[in-house]
mmCIF file of all heavy atoms in Angstrom:
data_model
loop_
_atom_site.group_PDB
_atom_site.id
_atom_site.type_symbol
_atom_site.label_atom_id
_atom_site.label_comp_id
_atom_site.label_asym_id
_atom_site.label_seq_id
_atom_site.Cartn_x
_atom_site.Cartn_y
_atom_site.Cartn_z
ATOM 1 N N GLY A 748 -51.553 42.566 6.187
ATOM 2 C CA GLY A 748 -51.172 42.515 4.781
ATOM 3 C C GLY A 748 -51.493 43.811 4.082
ATOM 4 O O GLY A 748 -52.448 44.512 4.460
ATOM 5 N N VAL A 749 -50.685 44.182 3.094
ATOM 6 C CA VAL A 749 -50.994 45.336 2.252
ATOM 7 C C VAL A 749 -51.128 44.855 0.814
ATOM 8 O O VAL A 749 -50.372 43.986 0.362
ATOM 9 C CB VAL A 749 -49.915 46.443 2.345
ATOM 10 C CG1 VAL A 749 -49.934 47.080 3.708
ATOM 11 C CG2 VAL A 749 -48.540 45.904 2.049
ATOM 12 N N ILE A 750 -52.107 45.395 0.123
ATOM 13 C CA ILE A 750 -52.348 45.056 -1.279
ATOM 14 C C ILE A 750 -52.000 46.267 -2.121
ATOM 15 O O ILE A 750 -52.610 47.335 -1.979
ATOM 16 C CB ILE A 750 -53.823 44.658 -1.506
ATOM 17 C CG1 ILE A 750 -54.189 43.428 -0.662
ATOM 18 C CG2 ILE A 750 -54.072 44.378 -2.983
ATOM 19 C CD1 ILE A 750 -55.676 43.122 -0.634
ATOM 20 N N LEU A 751 -51.011 46.120 -2.961
ATOM 21 C CA LEU A 751 -50.633 47.188 -3.886
ATOM 22 C C LEU A 751 -51.458 46.994 -5.153
ATOM 23 O O LEU A 751 -51.280 46.014 -5.879
ATOM 24 C CB LEU A 751 -49.133 47.116 -4.184
ATOM 25 C CG LEU A 751 -48.204 47.110 -2.961
ATOM 26 C CD1 LEU A 751 -46.742 47.049 -3.400
ATOM 27 C CD2 LEU A 751 -48.445 48.322 -2.076
ATOM 28 N N SER A 752 -52.348 47.920 -5.405
ATOM 29 C CA SER A 752 -53.314 47.752 -6.502
ATOM 30 C C SER A 752 -53.225 48.889 -7.506
ATOM 31 O O SER A 752 -53.118 50.062 -7.131
ATOM 32 C CB SER A 752 -54.737 47.689 -5.929
ATOM 33 O OG SER A 752 -55.693 47.612 -6.971
ATOM 34 N N ASP A 753 -53.275 48.510 -8.803
ATOM 35 C CA ASP A 753 -53.309 49.532 -9.858
ATOM 36 C C ASP A 753 -54.658 49.556 -10.567
ATOM 37 O O ASP A 753 -54.762 49.994 -11.703
ATOM 38 C CB ASP A 753 -52.169 49.314 -10.865
ATOM 39 C CG ASP A 753 -52.241 47.965 -11.563
ATOM 40 O OD1 ASP A 753 -53.304 47.323 -11.550
ATOM 41 O OD2 ASP A 753 -51.208 47.551 -12.138
ATOM 42 N N LYS A 754 -55.689 49.084 -9.876
ATOM 43 C CA LYS A 754 -57.022 49.013 -10.485
ATOM 44 C C LYS A 754 -57.575 50.384 -10.881
ATOM 45 O O LYS A 754 -58.460 50.483 -11.722
ATOM 46 C CB LYS A 754 -57.992 48.336 -9.508
ATOM 47 C CG LYS A 754 -57.951 46.823 -9.527
ATOM 48 C CD LYS A 754 -58.873 46.286 -10.621
ATOM 49 C CE LYS A 754 -59.087 44.802 -10.490
ATOM 50 N NZ LYS A 754 -60.357 44.378 -11.065
ATOM 51 N N PHE A 755 -57.049 51.438 -10.275
ATOM 52 C CA PHE A 755 -57.568 52.768 -10.595
ATOM 53 C C PHE A 755 -56.930 53.359 -11.843
ATOM 54 O O PHE A 755 -57.247 54.494 -12.217
ATOM 55 C CB PHE A 755 -57.358 53.713 -9.408
ATOM 56 C CG PHE A 755 -58.249 53.423 -8.245
ATOM 57 C CD1 PHE A 755 -57.729 52.879 -7.079
ATOM 58 C CD2 PHE A 755 -59.621 53.673 -8.303
ATOM 59 C CE1 PHE A 755 -58.543 52.601 -5.993
ATOM 60 C CE2 PHE A 755 -60.441 53.398 -7.236
ATOM 61 C CZ PHE A 755 -59.912 52.859 -6.066
ATOM 62 N N ALA A 756 -56.029 52.623 -12.468
ATOM 63 C CA ALA A 756 -55.414 53.126 -13.699
ATOM 64 C C ALA A 756 -56.473 53.263 -14.794
ATOM 65 O O ALA A 756 -57.366 52.425 -14.917
ATOM 66 C CB ALA A 756 -54.304 52.195 -14.151
ATOM 67 N N GLY A 757 -56.368 54.319 -15.574
ATOM 68 C CA GLY A 757 -57.332 54.555 -16.635
ATOM 69 C C GLY A 757 -56.953 55.783 -17.421
ATOM 70 O O GLY A 757 -55.772 56.175 -17.464
ATOM 71 N N PRO A 758 -57.916 56.439 -18.037
ATOM 72 C CA PRO A 758 -57.596 57.607 -18.873
ATOM 73 C C PRO A 758 -56.854 58.710 -18.125
ATOM 74 O O PRO A 758 -56.038 59.422 -18.710
ATOM 75 C CB PRO A 758 -58.992 58.094 -19.332
ATOM 76 C CG PRO A 758 -59.878 56.904 -19.184
ATOM 77 C CD PRO A 758 -59.353 56.126 -18.025
ATOM 78 N N ASP A 759 -57.133 58.865 -16.829
ATOM 79 C CA ASP A 759 -56.562 59.975 -16.075
ATOM 80 C C ASP A 759 -55.448 59.565 -15.116
ATOM 81 O O ASP A 759 -54.843 60.436 -14.475
ATOM 82 C CB ASP A 759 -57.671 60.686 -15.276
ATOM 83 C CG ASP A 759 -58.768 61.198 -16.190
ATOM 84 O OD1 ASP A 759 -58.431 61.710 -17.274
ATOM 85 O OD2 ASP A 759 -59.949 61.059 -15.819
ATOM 86 N N ARG A 760 -55.219 58.261 -14.970
ATOM 87 C CA ARG A 760 -54.205 57.819 -14.006
ATOM 88 C C ARG A 760 -53.339 56.719 -14.622
ATOM 89 O O ARG A 760 -53.832 55.835 -15.333
ATOM 90 C CB ARG A 760 -54.854 57.296 -12.709
ATOM 91 C CG ARG A 760 -55.605 58.378 -11.936
ATOM 92 C CD ARG A 760 -56.071 57.880 -10.565
ATOM 93 N NE ARG A 760 -54.981 57.700 -9.618
ATOM 94 C CZ ARG A 760 -54.434 58.678 -8.915
ATOM 95 N NH1 ARG A 760 -54.846 59.930 -9.061
ATOM 96 N NH2 ARG A 760 -53.452 58.420 -8.061
ATOM 97 N N MET A 761 -52.063 56.816 -14.339
ATOM 98 C CA MET A 761 -51.109 55.799 -14.783
ATOM 99 C C MET A 761 -50.682 54.970 -13.582
ATOM 100 O O MET A 761 -50.649 55.459 -12.458
ATOM 101 C CB MET A 761 -49.877 56.441 -15.423
ATOM 102 C CG MET A 761 -50.154 57.176 -16.716
ATOM 103 S SD MET A 761 -48.628 57.571 -17.621
ATOM 104 C CE MET A 761 -47.778 58.620 -16.481
ATOM 105 N N ALA A 762 -50.330 53.728 -13.875
ATOM 106 C CA ALA A 762 -49.897 52.833 -12.795
ATOM 107 C C ALA A 762 -48.379 52.812 -12.693
ATOM 108 O O ALA A 762 -47.669 52.795 -13.708
ATOM 109 C CB ALA A 762 -50.407 51.420 -13.056
ATOM 110 N N LEU A 763 -47.898 52.830 -11.469
ATOM 111 C CA LEU A 763 -46.487 52.536 -11.262
ATOM 112 C C LEU A 763 -46.197 51.111 -11.733
ATOM 113 O O LEU A 763 -47.043 50.222 -11.568
ATOM 114 C CB LEU A 763 -46.130 52.631 -9.775
ATOM 115 C CG LEU A 763 -46.059 54.002 -9.127
ATOM 116 C CD1 LEU A 763 -45.975 53.838 -7.613
ATOM 117 C CD2 LEU A 763 -44.857 54.773 -9.651
ATOM 118 N N PRO A 764 -45.046 50.863 -12.336
ATOM 119 C CA PRO A 764 -44.706 49.476 -12.651
ATOM 120 C C PRO A 764 -44.763 48.636 -11.379
ATOM 121 O O PRO A 764 -44.216 49.024 -10.332
ATOM 122 C CB PRO A 764 -43.274 49.577 -13.188
ATOM 123 C CG PRO A 764 -43.155 50.986 -13.683
ATOM 124 C CD PRO A 764 -43.999 51.811 -12.764
ATOM 125 N N SER A 765 -45.443 47.511 -11.439
ATOM 126 C CA SER A 765 -45.670 46.732 -10.218
ATOM 127 C C SER A 765 -44.362 46.280 -9.582
ATOM 128 O O SER A 765 -44.246 46.219 -8.352
ATOM 129 C CB SER A 765 -46.544 45.513 -10.531
ATOM 130 O OG SER A 765 -45.905 44.649 -11.458
ATOM 131 N N LEU A 766 -43.370 45.973 -10.397
ATOM 132 C CA LEU A 766 -42.093 45.524 -9.839
ATOM 133 C C LEU A 766 -41.435 46.652 -9.043
ATOM 134 O O LEU A 766 -40.891 46.421 -7.962
ATOM 135 C CB LEU A 766 -41.173 45.043 -10.967
ATOM 136 C CG LEU A 766 -39.805 44.528 -10.533
ATOM 137 C CD1 LEU A 766 -39.937 43.349 -9.576
ATOM 138 C CD2 LEU A 766 -38.969 44.130 -11.756
ATOM 139 N N MET A 767 -41.493 47.853 -9.575
ATOM 140 C CA MET A 767 -40.940 48.999 -8.850
ATOM 141 C C MET A 767 -41.692 49.225 -7.550
ATOM 142 O O MET A 767 -41.095 49.485 -6.494
ATOM 143 C CB MET A 767 -41.009 50.267 -9.703
ATOM 144 C CG MET A 767 -39.785 50.525 -10.552
ATOM 145 S SD MET A 767 -39.985 51.985 -11.621
ATOM 146 C CE MET A 767 -40.567 53.211 -10.474
ATOM 147 N N ALA A 768 -43.010 49.136 -7.610
ATOM 148 C CA ALA A 768 -43.822 49.387 -6.420
ATOM 149 C C ALA A 768 -43.531 48.351 -5.338
ATOM 150 O O ALA A 768 -43.316 48.704 -4.167
ATOM 151 C CB ALA A 768 -45.303 49.375 -6.796
ATOM 152 N N VAL A 769 -43.518 47.090 -5.726
ATOM 153 C CA VAL A 769 -43.264 46.026 -4.755
ATOM 154 C C VAL A 769 -41.855 46.156 -4.176
ATOM 155 O O VAL A 769 -41.645 46.073 -2.959
ATOM 156 C CB VAL A 769 -43.452 44.641 -5.403
ATOM 157 C CG1 VAL A 769 -42.862 43.547 -4.525
ATOM 158 C CG2 VAL A 769 -44.923 44.371 -5.650
ATOM 159 N N GLY A 770 -40.864 46.368 -5.056
ATOM 160 C CA GLY A 770 -39.485 46.482 -4.580
ATOM 161 C C GLY A 770 -39.300 47.649 -3.630
ATOM 162 O O GLY A 770 -38.622 47.534 -2.595
ATOM 163 N N ALA A 771 -39.905 48.764 -3.961
ATOM 164 C CA ALA A 771 -39.757 49.954 -3.109
ATOM 165 C C ALA A 771 -40.390 49.732 -1.738
ATOM 166 O O ALA A 771 -39.795 50.047 -0.704
ATOM 167 C CB ALA A 771 -40.389 51.162 -3.800
ATOM 168 N N VAL A 772 -41.606 49.177 -1.719
ATOM 169 C CA VAL A 772 -42.282 48.937 -0.438
ATOM 170 C C VAL A 772 -41.539 47.873 0.360
ATOM 171 O O VAL A 772 -41.340 48.014 1.576
ATOM 172 C CB VAL A 772 -43.746 48.526 -0.681
ATOM 173 C CG1 VAL A 772 -44.398 48.062 0.617
ATOM 174 C CG2 VAL A 772 -44.526 49.691 -1.280
#
Side-chain angles (χ1 to χ4, degrees):
V749 292
I750 299 170
L751 306 181
S752 176
D753 60 18
K754 277 274 192 154
F755 288 109
D759 302 320
R760 295 188 71 81
M761 294 194 298
L763 287 169
S765 62
L766 181 59
M767 269 176 49
V769 166
V772 171

